[in-house]
Amino acid sequence: MKILVLAKRVPDTGVPIKIKPDGSGVDLSSIPFVMNPYDEYALEAALRVKEKKENVEVILLSLGNEEYKETLRHGLAMGADRAKLIKYEKPNELDIFQISNLIIEEIKKENPDAIFCGKKAVDDERNYLHIYIATKIQKPFIYGAVNFEVNNSSFKVTKETEKGLFIFEVPFNSFIIFDKCQFEPRYPSLRGIMMAKSKKIDEIIVSNLTDKKIETLRFESPPPRKTGKIINLPFPDNVKELIRLLKEESKVL
Amino acid sequence: MIGIFLEIKDGKVKKHSLELITFALKNYNSEIFTFALGEDVEKEEVFKHGADYFYLVSPTEKVESEEGIINSLFEFLKEKDLKVLIFPASNTGRIIAAGVSALLNLPLIQDIIEVKEENGEKIFKRPILAGKAYVWEKINSEKYSISLRSNIVNPVENPKNGKFEKIVVKGKDSLKVLEIKEKEEEEIDVSEAEIIVSGGRGVGGPEGFEPLRELAKLIKAAVGASRAAVDAGWIDHSHQVGQTGKTVSPNLYIACGISGALQHLAGMRTSKVIVAINKDPNAPIFQIADYGIVGDLFQIVPALTEEIKKLRT
């Protein structure tokens, strides 16, 4: 079985972000980057399949510049077999059509059974590329896996809905989109890190992509919130005052 | 014509979906073509808010999966000539938006929070990095789709004598449900709630969410949580607000025992009114709160519930 895992490189979520003064982009200098956390769950699930079954190949696919190799190496150190990088200098400037076309082309070349990825990239939050791709290549998909098991002939995928937990039988030939899972992604072992050095990262070079349907104009910082008031009254008057303010001043209760 | 996908729950069109009709009337000078998926619906609200057409798409077999819904809607939409499609940016709405747009080959921008005209063209604003920044984008295409966040516009009545029709389409699910573990009580989803009562490390354990749940039930709020509370296993991830959870903008956000880590603040800072209840007067949450109480949440929250109950009887 061949499992293709789509992985993105993103700024670490714990770090403050600044917009460049001219609004042309996010200032990413001196920000540490990591593998998109949701994609890490997808990779972990794929590695669990590999541990449970024979003849499973886990391939990482990413779209980005030279720096993305660091992220792919991290995935290889976790245990993926090989990686592919569609090389484009400014991946965040591409639109949905351009990205999905490039990725679909690689999917066709690799022809994997299953495709795994995270539910969203925590940076650009386009949050729908996977479904766009899954629908276009007509693979059955399931969005929001929170737990995952592999059986003899299918995957068992748990998904959270408004009504509760739904457990689905999902054929191997599917696109599974992972939420934060009930298991944790592994850390690369020392041996894994050593082995990753000799694993292959194929590069597919693309350039001059035109016909952009969605154009980025500018970035903005969120407006600052004005500091509010601390209700400095003894209990329970503070509670009564809070209710009064919510009812009369801000009219939200 | 502008197409709007309406979500139905318990036979009623959701408020978030009605907001889309008001949004479309405000921003597009065009007839409003609405559609929903289901068997039965109260249609009056839809025409009261200004729809010209309302189609209820009913699949031959019941579809549960998002993929099934997408295919059924595509069956219905493929022959229609709609210029713009608008979806609610809810959990399901976003998925449907992506699938339907892919099949119709439409560019799509999700999670829009503002639209304006610039040089005679519409430009759209959406949050990125879980609300740490915003981006403005424009679409170079006559036809496109967007999804719109909730609580961006207030639904306004604009009664019309619209046309209703039920359309039967082919329906099929490709995935088999093995088991359903239903929640005891159906919960309000944080991404759609108008009020959220949220708990963090300060709640101290799974049972610490009980007073929050009681308050939430009384004021019809969703229960939210910080990453610390979710990672500790006190509440499941569907409740998490912040960068690796959900970005929310309710009318009222009550943060209980949440210190206010950067990722959390990013996910809720666009709430209209923020209340912080925390023992630590130096907690960063107080810097963005409209009203703060320094104190023990286990004293304050139950008292809030009692006081509101008293006022309502």
Side-chain angles (χ1 to χ4, degrees), chain A residues 29-75:
Chain A
S29 55
S30 74
I31 287 180
F33 278 75
V34 293
M35 182 184 283
N36 182 41
Y38 295 108
D39 296 339
E40 257 190 341
Y41 285 106
L43 175 56
E44 175 60 36
L47 296 174
R48 287 174 181 223
V49 179
K50 194 176 157 66
E51 282 165 354
K52 265 235 160 132
K53 290 185 97 68
E54 284 177 23
N55 296 322
V56 175
E57 190 186 22
V58 177
I59 307 151
L60 286 165
L61 175 64
S62 201
L63 193 169
N65 53 31
E66 186 67 23
E67 290 169 351
Y68 274 60
K69 283 189 186 165
E70 185 196 322
T71 310
L72 290 172
R73 285 270 173 240
H74 168 77

Side-chain angles (χ1 to χ4, degrees), chain B residues 199-213:
Chain B
R201 202 184 295 277
V203 305
E207 59 293 332
F209 273 97
E210 269 321 303
L212 276 59
R213 283 201 186 93

